Amino acid sequence: MQIQAEKMNTVNVRKMTKNDIKQIMDIESVSFGDFHWKPEAFAAEIENNIGHYFVAEDEKRHLIAYGGFWLIVDEAHITTIAVHPLYRKQGLGEKILQKMIETGYEKGVKWFTLEVRASNIAAQNLYYKYNFKSLGLRRKYYQDNDEDAMIMWTESIWSESFKNRFEELKTKLEEKLKV
């Protein structure tokens, strides 16, 4: 599928389905090159009881972003977030992150964690914005180039400071996406 970047009027975030996998693979390949998840991995995650995966689509129902997490007891481990390169810096990764956090509240999650490439400053800045903290490093975590991964965690998402910050950022993003 060839995506043409244009100003979006609406963005819909919904649960990922198997019918989305072909479009997801298009985003995977342009986002991660040869070192991306396989279609079977996404199919398995959709069926996985601990997996919670979402897609963002434009008004033409083209998928432009996706992400998901595993829920293990009361911890949400974000496994992936990707935005089609033509749609980056518009708040779509943030919109997916917000959907994950909202789902975390529904499921009784206490905190979120993830690994992010040490070189991925844009993603790190998004996580810092949501009060994730860097609490360690996984050396040579990424198999494609042996790059280190930062381990990031939130405080309790039920703390007043986290909830207030989340609601503030949600309002700001809603305003941004309306423009």
Side-chain angles (χ1 to χ4, degrees), residues 38-162:
K38 304 294 182 219
E40 299 81 21
F42 282 103
E45 289 303 321
I46 291 166
E47 297 297 321
N48 185 348
N49 288 336
I50 66 169
H52 299 275
Y53 287 81
F54 307 96
V55 295
E57 59 188 4
D58 65 14
E59 57 273 359
K60 295 178 182 175
R61 301 183 59 87
H62 295 141
L63 296 191
I64 52 182
Y66 61 87
F69 68 89
W70 294 336
L71 176 55
I72 304 168
V73 186
D74 55 4
E75 172 189 316
H77 183 97
I78 296 174
T79 58
T80 189
I81 295 179
V83 177
H84 191 285
L86 295 175
Y87 288 89
R88 290 183 182 154
K89 299 183 181 186
Q90 296 185 42
L92 297 170
E94 184 172 359
K95 188 79 173 156
I96 293 285
L97 179 61
Q98 286 182 356
K99 180 65 173 177
M100 287 192 263
I101 293 169
E102 288 170 346
T103 303
Y105 280 121
E106 293 168 11
K107 302 288 182 185
V109 165
K110 287 187 181 171
W111 50 80
F112 278 78
T113 184
L114 57 85
E115 289 90 10
V116 60
R117 286 183 185 269
S119 65
N120 192 344
I121 304 304
Q124 291 170 33
N125 286 338
L126 172 62
Y127 303 132
Y128 285 132
K129 182 177 176 180
Y130 281 80
N131 292 337
F132 280 75
K133 307 270 187 283
S134 175
L135 297 178
L137 206 60
R138 294 195 197 282
R139 299 265 180 223
K140 298 183 179 187
Y141 181 78
Y142 291 97
Q143 296 174 357
D144 61 329
N145 65 359
D146 287 334
E147 184 174 356
D148 296 342
M150 290 177 55
I151 305 165
M152 301 185 81
W153 287 80
T154 62
E155 63 186 295
S156 169
I157 68 171
W158 298 96
S159 71
E160 284 303 311
S161 62
F162 190 93

Side-chain angles (χ1 to χ4, degrees), residues 16-26 38-44 46 63:
M16 184 184 288
T17 70
K18 286 187 178 180
N19 292 335
D20 298 324
I21 293 175
K22 182 181 179 334
Q23 289 186 72
I24 289 166
M25 295 313 301
D26 293 339
K38 304 294 182 219
E40 299 81 21
F42 282 103
I46 291 166
L63 296 191

Side-chain angles (χ1 to χ4, degrees), residues 98 101-102 130 162-170:
Q98 286 182 356
I101 293 169
E102 288 170 346
Y130 281 80
F162 190 93
K163 289 194 302 188
N164 291 341
R165 179 76 175 147
F166 180 65
E167 288 304 319
E168 172 189 323
L169 291 169
K170 224 169 98 172

